[in-house]
Amino acid sequence: MISENSYARRCWAEIDLDALGRNFRALRAFLRPETAALAVVKADAYGHGDQQIGRALEEIGVDWFGVACLDEALSLRRAGCRKPILVFGYTPPELAGLLIEHDLTQTMYSAEYAEAMQGAGKRLQVHVKLDTGMRRIGFRCEEEADLAAVEAVYRDFTVTGIFSHFSCADELSPDSLAFTAGQYAKFAVACDYLQARGHDPGLRHCSASSALILHEDWQLDMVRMGIALVGIAPSPEIGTHIRLEPVLTWRARVVMVKDLEIGEAVSYGRAFRAEKRMRVATIPAGYADGYARAFTNKGHMLLHGRPVPVLGRVCMDYCVVDVTDVPEAKMGDAVTLAGQDGSEEITFDALAALSGTISHDRVCAISPRVPRAYFRGGGLVEVRDYLTAR
Ligand SMILES: *Cc1c(COP(=O)(O)O)cnc(C)c1O
């Protein structure tokens, strides 16, 4: 019933659920047996499709899910995911009932927020968030006086965990390494203090992808795996010693092939001019699909296993590539925007570097106009088309 026609029409993403499974097992094997694995599937599982990725991970033994907000948690529940879900961010106090009804765990991050959520009381399961240096959300924990507010949370709510987040765990300079170690130490001291005061801290967790790869001894009771699960290194600095495979391949169809005469310009602003006769192909992928305008005259795609450079401005719906060296290029061919084609590969790290950002940003930017097709054992098993599903 589902065929290539249901997704490979224009610009699409192919998601290899087997690769996801291999990444999960590779990361899992790196954890001590008693350390639980929380899969971070916020931002539509980093653009990979939260419901499909959530179900696949639940099947292969993930222990927890983490999301940024209530709606993401509800989306997972609608997909049938039953594992505990931690909401990292603010949920409006008026909606505390939804957290309880759907058995979600809320992050409790300030005295003011705890006060506002007071009405839910012990029916609400929470993880305490400590601010050890990120200065985003979380209870300060440097002084004993700061921890009085945290003790109140243990008294007033059902606390099943406590966590913190590192601000530069993906940087390897001595200064950053020292800062991260300082964050870890503050977290550990605060947990010990709470325990000594008779509170069961619950699941203690502080490592996301970078720290779990770099600092085996900080795994504690749980780690939060995000970008590494989808097979992307947390930062170019971390040449990971765990084998990770990219899960998502991004492709589009060639819609037109044509010749350019000397002096002719391509796309808006005539930002590229042909200095020789060239053959070019028009690709229906633009910044509205998540193919950044910053790739103007910089990026390249892969066609028949060869690199084809982007010429001129990337438009909202199109860009143009140079196929002079790919004489067999024709309408309907599949071109690879990110991923592998033959022996060539374009990584999200490379795309991020071209556009002055990080791979997380590039992969999350793949827009809802791009249908996601899911594969297992090389076969198509599901398609998520955000536009027709509305
Ligand atoms: C996004 C996020 C993560 C996951 O980070 P990765 O670097 O993608 O592994 C973990 N914890 C929190 C609180 C987050 O917001």
Side-chain angles (χ1 to χ4, degrees):
M1 222 170 45
I2 42 173
S3 69
E4 215 183 49
N5 279 334
S6 61
Y7 67 90
R9 299 169 181 152
R10 178 183 168 274
C11 175
W12 69 93
E14 297 169 5
I15 288 147
D16 181 351
L17 294 173
D18 298 325
L20 176 76
R22 288 190 291 273
N23 290 340
F24 177 72
R25 280 185 286 272
L27 290 161
R28 177 72 258 183
F30 199 72
L31 304 183
R32 291 166 314 164
E34 65 272 23
T35 301
L38 177 149
V40 180
V41 290
K42 62 190 180 187
D44 200 27
Y46 296 62
H48 290 60
D50 63 341
Q51 299 198 329
Q52 289 74 11
I53 298 295
R55 283 194 292 258
L57 287 171
E58 193 158 300
E59 228 169 75
I60 55 182
V62 81
D63 301 296
W64 277 72
F65 290 110
V67 293
C69 59
L70 175 65
D71 294 294
E72 291 180 336
L74 296 177
S75 174
L76 283 181
R77 286 286 185 247
R78 271 198 302 278
C81 295
R82 303 262 49 98
K83 291 288 180 182
I85 302 176
L86 175 59
V87 178
F88 294 146
Y90 172 84
T91 302
E94 320 73 275
L95 300 182
L98 281 176
L99 293 167
I100 295 164
E101 181 188 335
H102 294 277
D103 196 21
L104 306 174
T105 302
Q106 172 61 43
T107 295
M108 199 49 74
Y109 61 83
S110 73
E112 188 184 13
Y113 190 52
E115 175 67 33
M117 292 294 253
Q118 210 42 261
K122 288 279 182 193
R123 289 174 305 141
L124 188 62
Q125 298 175 60
V126 304
H127 280 197
V128 170
K129 175 84 180 271
L130 298 183
D131 178 1
T132 53
M134 180 81 169
R135 308 295 176 231
R136 193 171 59 176
I137 61 171
F139 289 93
R140 276 189 180 267
C141 58
E142 282 91 352
E143 313 283 335
E144 274 184 28
D146 298 328
L147 288 168
V150 175
E151 291 199 72
V153 174
Y154 277 87
R155 218 174 34 240
D156 297 341
F157 300 92
T158 300
V159 181
T160 59
I162 184 164
F163 71 115
S164 192
H165 195 54
F166 296 127
S167 60
C168 51
D170 58 344
E171 294 167 8
L172 302 181
S173 70
D175 182 49
S176 295
L177 287 169
F179 188 81
T180 308
Q183 281 194 273
Y184 177 77
K186 280 183 195 172
F187 180 69
V189 166
C191 289
D192 290 348
Y193 173 83
L194 291 165
Q195 200 148 23
R197 302 267 296 175
H199 307 286
D200 173 6
L203 292 170
R204 296 159 304 154
H205 50 109
C206 59
S207 292
S209 296
S210 304
L212 93 87
I213 290 169
L214 292 175
H215 307 286
E216 217 172 323
D217 45 335
W218 297 352
Q219 291 175 0
L220 299 171
D221 303 309
M222 187 155 80
V223 294
R224 305 186 301 270
M225 312 169 165
I227 195 83
L229 263 182
V230 294
I232 299 174
S235 90
E237 283 197 61
I238 299 174
T240 140
H241 50 288
I242 301 179
R243 222 183 92 73
L244 299 172
E245 299 169 54
V247 169
L248 186 149
T249 302
W250 193 7
R251 296 198 211 273
R253 293 266 183 229
V254 170
V255 296
M256 186 167 181
V257 176
K258 72 181 72 168
D259 293 317
L260 282 189
E261 300 301 329
I262 294 169
E264 286 184 327
V266 161
S267 187
Y268 288 121
R270 300 187 293 165
F272 175 84
R273 278 167 206 266
E275 285 173 4
K276 55 178 173 56
R277 288 199 67 191
M278 310 175 76
R279 177 156 280 204
V280 299
T282 306
I283 309 300
Y287 57 78
D289 300 288
Y291 199 73
R293 195 166 177 276
F295 300 150
T296 292
N297 275 328
K298 272 197 212 160
H300 73 273
M301 299 180 183
L302 302 173
L303 181 59
H304 296 292
R306 271 156 283 164
V308 289
V310 172
L311 302 180
R313 295 238 175 102
V314 174
C315 311
M316 186 183 283
D317 314 314
Y318 289 107
C319 59
V320 174
V321 295
D322 177 3
V323 297
T324 310
D325 296 334
V326 189
E328 69 270 43
K330 61 176 190 315
M331 184 178 80
D333 286 352
V335 62
T336 302
L337 284 63
Q340 249 179 315
D341 181 6
S343 59
E344 294 280 336
E345 183 178 12
I346 297 171
T347 63
F348 281 97
D349 275 328
L351 292 177
L354 274 184
S355 48
T357 185
I358 57 171
S359 51
H360 302 61
D361 187 7
R362 280 277 63 87
V363 78
C364 287
I366 301 175
S367 85
R369 194 161 75 181
V370 179
R372 273 65 162 176
Y374 296 88
F375 292 82
R376 271 186 206 274
L380 177 66
V381 292
E382 191 175 349
V383 170
R384 184 162 187 188
D385 185 329
Y386 296 84
L387 300 186
T388 57
R390 270 180 198 159

